[in-house]
Amino acid sequence: KKLHLSIELLEDLHIGTGTGIGDIDALQVRDRRGLPVLPSSHIKGVLLQTAHDLMKVQPEAISQTDIETLFGRPGGGQGCVQLTSAYLPDRDNFDAIDTLLWGSTGIDPKQGRAQETSLRLVEYIPAGRTFTLQAFLPSRHQDLLTAIIGRCTRLGAGRNRGYGLVCWRLQTPNGKKSLVQIPQKAPAYPQRLRLLLRNL
């Protein structure tokens, strides 16, 4: 079974290369043309973690055997789910894409001011972009994978702190796109308001 999926960024997203250049401490992963890409290894890793989280809260919905069947196990072979990386769908029309640089600094807990030499600049893909990917798996596992995707609300670095909100969509056989349902529950992180200031 081949599933056509899309990921819309509802918040700015960073999936890093682990390297920096110049003043930028953490660069966004890019494809050979220099356009941002969401690597399949990152997406699959987050879905695996989501499956483990689902097993903790709904053990009747998924078992460890199901998880190993879908995603494999260390040293025990590959799982049945194969994912492509997620690309911009009309990337042939892009020569480049503007990214955002977020600066952050450590705060001295005693004095409440910025710590010296702690400024970091991180490259982000701006919210509003949509990426597409494909998933390949046996038909009998489609409902389970869809349930896991429906619980995967965040990608990228900082998702445990409330960053990287995404919306998944699944293309149905008749060509219409249906929203993969996201369960409405209280977030595990404190609510915060972030303001993006643009220099005019």
Side-chain angles (χ1 to χ4, degrees), residues 44 48 52 64-65 67-80:
K44 195 169 183 180
L48 173 60
H52 283 291
Q64 182 64 34
T65 301
I67 293 174
E68 292 177 355
T69 299
L70 290 175
F71 301 106
R73 64 180 186 274
Q78 194 170 353
C80 67

